[in-house]
Amino acid sequence: MKEQDVHQTFVAVSRDGMEINKGKWYERYKVYADENLATLNQMTSVASGSTSPPFFECGKKLLQQHFEAPKFGSLLQSIVNFYIATESKAFVGVRGSSYSTDIWTTRYHQGRGLQNYEYTTEEIKRLENNGLPPTHKFCSSGNDKKEKKKKDEKTIDEKEETKQEQE
């Protein structure tokens, strides 16, 4: 994908979460949190006609335009953002994010996996395996579960052997 192919850039973030400026996590990462929010504010307000592709966020702003209700929390906003991301021409996510992994996986099964990209510290690169990401860190396949069961059984057997030797 070439830069000139990008007409709009959708940013799926929780603005409410980014605007929290108190608590231990904020204090610990204050410099980064403030910089990220300032960058988001700057990039989403780039004037049309700029040489940069326009950036936009959607979930919260879209819901505010169409619903007159108290706060929804972030679930409904994230569902709107998820749908937009899965339907986009391309998606750039980050490894280790369950949100990115879910979008990449959904897009892969929709036949859009070849336009799945990963943002790294060095570059934005196309995801390998036709766009299907590795499973989440805490998810496992059936084979992983079988291996764990074998390992647990072996550990139990070893403990019993050690106990018998001590007697």
Side-chain angles (χ1 to χ4, degrees):
M1 182 172 61
K2 300 174 189 164
E3 186 175 328
Q4 62 266 26
D5 293 338
V6 178
H7 301 287
Q8 293 180 316
T9 304
F10 167 62
V11 183
V13 297
S14 169
R15 179 173 282 279
D16 287 346
M18 291 180 75
E19 291 176 340
I20 295 173
N21 57 4
K22 60 185 175 187
K24 69 177 184 176
W25 288 109
Y26 175 74
E27 291 303 323
R28 184 172 182 183
Y29 299 106
K30 180 182 187 328
V31 173
Y32 305 110
D34 290 346
E35 180 183 352
N36 287 343
L37 183 58
T39 301
L40 177 66
N41 288 334
Q42 178 187 5
M43 297 310 291
T44 55
S45 64
V46 170
S48 59
S50 168
T51 57
S52 300
F55 290 79
F56 69 97
E57 50 188 318
C58 199
K60 180 179 180 179
K61 290 182 177 186
L62 184 67
L63 292 174
Q64 287 175 334
Q65 291 174 8
H66 297 284
F67 296 96
E68 292 182 30
K71 289 201 173 235
F72 295 100
S74 62
L75 179 61
L76 189 53
Q77 297 167 25
S78 67
I79 291 170
V80 170
N81 289 341
F82 186 88
Y83 179 77
I84 291 169
T86 59
E87 293 296 317
S88 65
K89 289 183 182 177
F91 175 74
V92 180
V94 292
R95 189 166 306 269
S97 162
S98 59
Y99 191 78
S100 292
T101 301
D102 289 346
I103 292 170
W104 283 327
T105 303
T106 300
R107 290 175 51 80
Y108 171 83
H109 289 291
Q110 292 173 330
R112 293 185 171 102
L114 294 177
Q115 296 299 318
N116 282 346
Y117 296 88
E118 177 184 4
Y119 176 85
T120 71
T121 55
E122 292 85 33
E123 64 183 336
I124 295 176
K125 63 181 185 178
R126 187 179 301 250
L127 231 60
E128 297 176 353
N129 197 23
N130 294 321
L132 181 63
T135 57
H136 293 294
K137 180 178 179 181
F138 297 110
C139 293
S140 61
S141 67
N143 290 336
D144 293 340
K145 290 177 185 177
K146 289 175 189 173
E147 291 299 318
K148 184 179 181 330
K149 184 177 179 181
K150 284 181 188 177
K151 185 178 177 183
D152 290 346
E153 289 172 353
K154 184 177 178 182
T155 303
I156 291 169
D157 290 343
E158 289 171 351
K159 285 181 182 178
E160 288 177 4
E161 287 175 11
T162 303
K163 186 178 177 181
Q164 288 173 356
E165 289 173 1
Q166 291 175 346
E167 293 175 349

